[in-house]
Amino acid sequence: DVKVTQSSRYLVKRTGEKVFLECVQDMDHENMFWYRQDPGLGLRLIYFSYDVKMKEKGDIPEGYSVSREKKERFSLILESASTNQTSMYLCASRPQDWVRGDTQYFGPGTRLTVL
Amino acid sequence: GEDVEQSLFLSVREGDSSVINCTYTDSSSTYLYWYKQEPGAGLQLLTYIFSNMDMKQDQRLTVLLNKKDKHLSLRIADTQTGDSAIYFCAASGGSYIPTFGRGTSLIVHP
């Protein structure tokens, strides 16, 4: 059973703080993704990674950076948190040979509040 | 790029059928997915369909694909209160990165 875990379910930070959101998957998947989910806006892709040390910008990368030093771990970094980054953050992973129809596996999400 | 649209809310009575609709814009979309998100949880894949199919059935779930109109639907038979959740439609094609709709909140009344 694929497991994607995220370091925190709930997080409260102050404006200007540096925030790290961690995601770990245990199935040796090459691809990993970070999304944010806001009511009425659905999921928006922030960054994704095809493999270790590789990263690509998604639709809304501004204010975020990522790190993928090990295959199983994909970190999302908010360099200087702002109130408009209050959101639910979802991590997902996917095998490289996803064309089998297998698709993304999601973590439980981190609800981040920036005060 | 791809655009995926779905209505935001659907309310049904327990025992009735629910039909959630989705439209997409990229005719080269190869894989179309339905995900379910229960309160406070991540997304869970419910079912998917390849673009060369027009129907897929899995127990209480029926997916219909009209490729000409770029329309996808998810029918849940005998809807139960446990089916209350947000349902996301997603499509992936040439870019292989899925595009998600905004999600449909299904509310099931006893």
Side-chain angles (χ1 to χ4, degrees):
Chain A
D1 223 19
V2 176
K3 198 163 183 185
V4 181
T5 56
Q6 295 183 228
S7 48
S8 306
R9 292 299 303 272
Y10 300 94
L11 209 52
V12 180
K13 295 291 182 181
R14 295 205 175 273
T15 302
E17 280 193 77
K18 190 168 185 174
V19 182
F20 292 86
L21 302 182
E22 304 284 343
C23 175
V24 177
Q25 49 94 2
D26 65 358
M27 282 302 291
D28 204 36
H29 286 171
E30 287 80 10
N31 301 167
M32 295 188 76
F33 306 80
W34 274 107
Y35 294 89
R36 65 176 282 176
Q37 181 183 9
D38 300 288
L41 296 179
L43 271 68
R44 292 181 290 167
L45 182 64
I46 305 171
Y47 268 96
F48 62 99
S49 169
Y50 283 115
D51 210 330
V52 179
K53 296 194 186 293
M54 296 175 71
K55 59 185 178 185
E56 295 284 340
K57 292 180 181 179
D59 299 318
I60 51 162
E62 296 79 18
Y64 303 94
S65 62
V66 290
S67 171
R68 183 120 182 251
E69 295 297 316
K70 293 185 178 180
K71 195 173 187 180
E72 68 270 18
R73 188 180 297 268
F74 192 34
S75 302
L76 180 69
I77 303 152
L78 287 67
E79 296 290 342
S80 177
S82 63
T83 54
N84 63 12
Q85 292 178 310
T86 291
S87 187
M88 170 74 96
Y89 290 87
L90 292 168
C91 174
S93 74
R94 182 181 73 180
Q96 187 68 22
D97 60 343
W98 64 281
V99 291
R100 293 182 292 117
D102 209 0
T103 184
Q104 294 167 309
Y105 295 85
F106 283 84
T110 295
R111 185 164 294 282
L112 172 67
T113 302
V114 183
L115 301 174
Chain B
E2 174 84 86
D3 194 21
V4 177
E5 295 284 341
Q6 51 184 131
S7 55
L8 292 183
F9 298 99
L10 177 65
S11 179
V12 300
R13 285 190 179 275
E14 193 173 17
D16 287 352
S17 291
S18 308
V19 179
I20 303 171
N21 293 301
C22 169
T23 58
Y24 59 97
T25 56
D26 187 350
S27 57
S28 68
S29 288
T30 312
Y31 304 94
L32 298 130
Y33 308 95
W34 284 105
Y35 288 85
K36 178 183 181 182
Q37 184 183 35
E38 294 181 350
L43 274 67
Q44 178 186 10
L45 179 68
L46 270 183
T47 188
Y48 64 91
I49 189 167
F50 294 124
S51 60
N52 62 357
M53 299 167 67
D54 52 21
M55 187 180 95
K56 182 177 180 181
Q57 190 151 2
D58 185 2
Q59 299 182 334
R60 291 191 297 124
L61 305 178
T62 303
V63 178
L64 294 177
L65 174 61
N66 182 328
K67 202 174 172 187
K68 175 175 165 287
D69 294 337
K70 297 195 273 294
H71 181 268
L72 182 73
S73 68
L74 173 70
R75 179 177 179 268
I76 306 173
D78 187 25
T79 313
Q80 303 297 307
T81 54
D83 294 323
S84 293
I86 302 175
Y87 291 81
F88 288 92
C89 171
S92 66
S95 73
Y96 300 110
I97 302 294
T99 299
F100 287 82
R102 296 184 179 195
T104 299
S105 289
L106 175 63
I107 300 160
V108 182
H109 298 284

